[in-house]
Amino acid sequence: MRLSRYFLPILKENPKEAEIVSHRLMLRAGMIRQQSQGIYSWLPLGKRVLDKVNNIIREEQNRSGAVELLMPTLQPAELWRESGRYDAYGKEMLRIKDRQEREMLYGPTNEEMITDIFRASVKSYKDLPINLYHIQLKFRDEVRPRFGTMRSREFLMKDAYSFDLDREGAEHSYRKMFAAYLRTFDRLGLRAIPMRADTGPIGGNLSHEFIILADTGESEVYSHKDFVNFDIPPVDTDFDDVAGLQAIFDKWTSVYAATSEMHDEAAFATIPEGDRLSARGIEVGHIFYFGTKYSEPMGASVQGPDGKQHLVHMGSYGIGPTRLVPAIIEASHDENGIIWPKSVAPFDVSVINMKAGDQACDGVSEQLYASLARAGLDMLYDDTDDRAGAKFATADLIGVPTQIIVGPRSVANGEVEIKDRKSGARETVSIEAAINKLTAAN
């Protein structure tokens, strides 16, 4: 992508409405624009990051055996009346009527709708277990939306819903998602701690929030420091291995970790003082097991091996991609801007032409841009006529992991400079060596 042809509305000044680092940087870097209270447009740079976050989530859901579908944003009110949640959910639900005066709602979550889809199609235990997921917009009319897309009214959510014949099977499905979430957040460059949590309006009696530590976190969290050294489940994790997933779950729940709602001060006090961790945290994922909470009122059952009808046991598993993007920024930034993990960076490499219009600089920049793009790298080419300081500031602000600086002096020597955004380290290498190095690292 050539910067001269890209839509990147960068702000030079810090926006007054931004209370936290991620909100400020997302606005300054031209990633988002507020359309109304708690509702944002994702601009091209932000959309590229969001798509990469979604792709990682999708890959790990698929790896665990979950199957993707897509449910609508608008839902009929009668489904929620079946479950008993329509009147109980509260003012956060946006209730509307269509032209036929049918009561509808803008879905804040999808337990009812997925249960309706399941009960219409699955009749036998032989079709279980099954886990269905989608990535879809949600709306919750928050009293006080804040922190940009960290806590907005309209947001993107990955919802997965598992269906099993009994509790034993449902707990195995829960552990599948537990391991898949650990892998997902690790690939996003985050160390997420699973913490015992309140189930809230979704219900259930087994629940974990996945929390990353950040000063701007919404709540106080408490845990043992050992979490930082626990191994992430490997890429070849067998999600059908009951004992193997139980071992992963047991390891990651073997030491104390709880949100403020579930905090036990007496249990926390038994941890040696040097191993206690008390900090602010950002929730980036939440998983629930809720048994027959929805299948019972909505009649979702299957014929079991005994020939009788059995209510299915369910769980739900959420990750908010539009919340994850600012969470990553909160965990990875400096005074100059964003430092993206390579897995979700909007571009892999930025070629910075220090003297656009100079034949030699233009030629080398075009060569690097084309060669690295052919090698499969996402490229940004700063071919604008801005001054050098502005180009460097833009590159640092938007957080591209690798910058290639092409200037008249280095080009005259057949060289370019490579800068690592995270460490700030620079090295001068030949043009051919730069291409070979970055191609090999891809």
Side-chain angles (χ1 to χ4, degrees):
M1 181 60 64
R2 296 173 187 273
L3 189 53
S4 62
R5 302 177 189 173
Y6 198 54
F7 182 65
L8 188 64
I10 284 177
L11 302 179
K12 293 183 179 180
E13 303 296 330
N14 286 327
K16 294 179 181 180
E17 69 270 26
E19 299 178 63
I20 61 173
V21 170
S22 58
H23 190 193
R24 181 172 72 246
L25 290 176
M26 289 177 78
L27 290 169
R28 283 201 57 215
M31 293 179 63
I32 57 173
R33 186 180 189 279
Q34 183 170 329
Q35 303 300 150
S36 65
Q37 186 184 37
I39 298 176
Y40 290 82
S41 288
W42 285 76
L43 305 182
L45 191 78
K47 178 65 162 51
R48 290 182 72 94
V49 176
L50 187 61
D51 284 347
K52 291 191 174 185
V53 168
N54 285 338
N55 287 340
I56 289 174
I57 292 171
R58 186 172 279 116
E59 287 170 6
E60 294 303 328
Q61 289 294 289
N62 294 345
R63 193 191 309 278
S64 74
V67 180
E68 187 173 11
L69 47 63
L70 183 62
M71 290 177 277
T73 55
L74 293 180
Q75 302 181 31
E78 58 260 29
L79 287 178
W80 285 66
R81 286 201 168 96
E82 280 192 63
S83 72
R85 282 208 299 173
Y86 184 74
D87 295 317
Y89 200 88
K91 292 183 178 180
E92 288 77 21
M93 181 191 292
L94 181 62
R95 296 164 170 85
I96 58 178
K97 290 183 179 180
D98 66 14
R99 65 173 63 194
Q100 278 82 37
E101 293 296 311
R102 287 175 296 209
E103 292 181 297
M104 309 287 288
L105 59 99
Y106 192 144
T109 183
N110 280 78
E111 282 79 9
E112 284 81 1
M113 183 161 284
I114 197 67
T115 304
D116 180 57
I117 290 171
F118 175 89
R119 69 183 176 182
S121 305
V122 181
K123 305 300 182 183
S124 171
Y125 76 95
K126 295 178 181 179
D127 296 320
L128 301 180
I130 191 168
N131 189 329
L132 302 171
Y133 80 95
H134 75 160
I135 300 175
Q136 177 61 286
L137 286 171
K138 300 283 189 294
F139 186 90
R140 294 176 188 165
D141 200 2
E142 294 277 358
V143 174
R144 191 186 174 197
R146 58 193 306 220
F147 301 155
T149 66
M150 183 77 76
R151 188 171 181 177
S152 54
R153 293 197 296 162
E154 184 182 69
F155 53 94
L156 199 63
M157 180 67 72
K158 187 284 302 181
D159 300 293
Y161 301 94
S162 62
F163 299 85
D164 286 89
L165 181 63
D166 52 28
R167 174 158 186 153
E168 182 180 1
E171 291 188 355
H172 178 57
S173 292
Y174 185 93
R175 291 190 288 270
K176 285 183 181 181
M177 287 292 99
F178 188 94
Y181 274 35
L182 292 173
R183 284 193 44 77
T184 299
F185 298 128
D186 181 66
R187 289 185 60 191
L188 294 171
L190 300 171
R191 171 59 66 150
I193 301 173
M195 299 189 172
R196 292 189 305 111
D198 184 29
T199 56
I202 290 179
N205 54 13
L206 178 60
S207 175
H208 285 87
E209 285 183 10
F210 289 77
I211 303 289
I212 65 165
L213 304 182
D215 292 338
T216 52
E218 294 178 296
S219 60
E220 192 80 10
V221 295
Y222 307 85
S223 76
H224 197 291
K225 286 186 176 179
D226 279 359
F227 278 108
V228 298
N229 299 315
F230 284 176
D231 292 332
I232 300 297
V235 68
D236 61 352
T237 296
D238 182 354
F239 285 89
D240 291 323
D241 180 359
V242 175
L245 287 186
Q246 182 71 60
I248 292 170
F249 182 80
D250 289 346
K251 177 67 175 178
W252 280 84
T253 57
S254 62
V255 294
Y256 188 87
T259 60
S260 55
E261 295 89 347
M262 303 293 285
H263 180 51
D264 182 339
E265 190 62 44
F268 189 62
T270 64
I271 302 171
E273 187 173 352
D275 292 329
R276 293 179 205 161
L277 182 60
S278 174
R280 307 296 294 180
I282 298 172
E283 177 193 341
V284 290
H286 203 161
I287 62 177
F288 306 84
Y289 160 73
F290 42 67
T292 60
K293 177 180 172 64
Y294 298 94
S295 58
E296 184 171 4
M298 297 185 70
S301 63
V302 296
Q303 186 179 57
D306 57 2
K308 298 179 181 180
Q309 290 297 118
H310 295 259
L311 293 171
V312 291
H313 287 243
M314 296 173 57
S316 71
Y317 317 93
I319 293 178
T322 47
R323 185 181 179 86
L324 267 172
V325 174
I328 292 169
I329 295 172
E330 291 292 332
S332 185
H333 66 273
D334 62 15
E335 66 276 8
N336 295 318
I338 304 164
I339 304 175
W340 292 114
K342 290 182 180 180
S343 60
V344 297
F347 298 97
D348 300 314
V349 179
S350 175
V351 175
I352 303 174
N353 186 343
M354 299 297 292
K355 195 173 183 182
D358 177 85
Q359 186 175 1
C361 286
D362 287 351
V364 170
S365 296
E366 293 283 354
Q367 178 188 355
L368 289 163
Y369 177 59
S371 297
L372 294 173
R374 282 196 299 270
L377 289 161
D378 283 335
M379 300 297 299
L380 180 66
Y381 172 23
D382 188 344
D383 59 342
T384 66
D385 57 3
D386 288 341
R387 57 185 177 82
K391 292 190 176 209
F392 291 142
T394 295
D396 283 349
L397 174 62
I398 66 177
V400 179
T402 302
Q403 301 168 19
I404 306 179
I405 302 163
V406 181
R409 290 185 182 179
S410 57
V411 167
N413 296 323
E415 297 174 330
V416 293
E417 189 175 32
I418 298 177
K419 175 187 171 182
D420 180 79
R421 172 66 181 92
K422 184 174 183 178
S423 68
R426 297 171 179 252
E427 61 175 327
T428 301
V429 298
S430 70
I431 297 165
E432 182 180 1
I435 294 172
N436 291 337
K437 176 177 180 161
L438 295 175
T439 300
N442 186 25

